[in-house]
Amino acid sequence: MDRGFALLWRVTAATLLVVAFWQSFPIFQAVVLGRLAEPRAITPRGDLADWEQSTIAVFEAARDSVVFITTAETVIDPWTRNIYDLTRGNGSGFIWDTLGHVVTNHHVIAGASRAFVRLADGRSYPARLVGSAPEHDLAVLQIGVGADRPPPIPIGTSADLRVGQSVLAIGNPFGLDWTLTTGVVSALGRELPTEDGLPIRDLIQTDAAINPGNSGGPLIDSAGRLIGVNTAIYSPSGSSAGVGFAVPVDTVNRVVPQLIARGSYTPPFLGVHFDPRGDELLDRLGLEGVLVLDVVPGSPAEAAGLRPTRMTREGIVLGDIILALGDDAVRRSQDLVAALETRRAGETVDLTILRDGREITLQAALAAAP
């Protein structure tokens, strides 16, 4: 019995030693052979995929047209009365033309007393504010670039965008300069409210990551053309949640030339006076549309034959009620403002109006704002 137990113990101990050695062998092997370690052989990867090459080419072509914007606010120390600049924030922008104009968001430069633009090659310039359109969250700066000016970004269109097509966003999120993110057009025709209550309409929604610092940077299509200006994100945390918004390039291409030429943006001039109180009056009458309170003499509205509201001995005689401008339905004053925003001076539009209980159509040639 004792001999059998001793034999079993020896067999068990030998088995445990073998198992322990087997388990420890890789460690001993790594220690011994690790002293002879050399760099591993590189596995050839082959050519980049076509979509990778396309993305790289678009980024490299657009990079020099994108800029880094920093802003500062001049403050006075209440104790020492010393005046100094306090860094306010940063954002993105892009070169618009060969005259040194830079497009960015209005909210990037709002409240700042100074702005600086840094180019992709490292050169930095103080910027002058040319004009701003808060209602579209757009602003134009100008920098004094001499020789070797960066190229303007190519311009595309946004009217023919389709949900699902690829887009690229370039900007400076969190101060990390010249960052590329990619995604698709997630939706079209989105709206965001502005400070004055009127919404920015027809925004592009994208899932390309947009974070603080991306504002004002370009949204680009796969052909390398500007299709929007990144302006806002929807995120409870303040960081990208896959829902970003961009001002469409058709709006940008309409607003920016006016900002450069005049310093401000004004929609085309129709020449009618209207007021939200007119909306309230029509509400009480169970009607929709915009009541024409007055017509400006010599205006497109007068030439089209629009009739204003007038006072008579019998009381108030309602003028024409605008129901649509072109294909855009007009239910309230803000709808008429938004419809005019999408037009250009010189464009002829159809006005659907309600007059004496009948719908009729008139034509008006919109004019430049006086």
Side-chain angles (χ1 to χ4, degrees), residues 81-105:
R81 311 304 295 175
N82 291 331
I83 300 176
Y84 60 93
D85 286 339
L86 180 66
T87 300
R88 183 177 180 86
N90 61 68
S92 306
F94 54 89
I95 303 296
W96 177 258
D97 56 24
T98 58
L99 301 177
H101 291 114
V102 173
V103 173
T104 186
N105 284 147

Side-chain angles (χ1 to χ4, degrees), residues 195-237:
E195 294 179 356
D196 60 7
L198 291 176
I200 306 176
R201 304 193 178 205
D202 297 325
L203 293 176
I204 303 165
Q205 180 184 328
T206 178
D207 67 346
I210 297 174
N211 286 290
N214 272 113
S215 294
L219 187 69
I220 302 170
D221 66 10
S222 57
R225 308 176 309 160
L226 178 75
I227 59 170
V229 178
N230 301 317
T231 187
I233 59 173
Y234 174 79
S235 172
S237 67

Side-chain angles (χ1 to χ4, degrees), residues 129-155:
L129 177 62
V130 175
S132 181
E135 65 273 27
H136 292 292
D137 198 17
L138 293 173
V140 176
L141 305 174
Q142 187 173 32
I143 54 176
V145 184
D148 195 18
R149 297 180 178 180
I153 197 164
I155 301 296

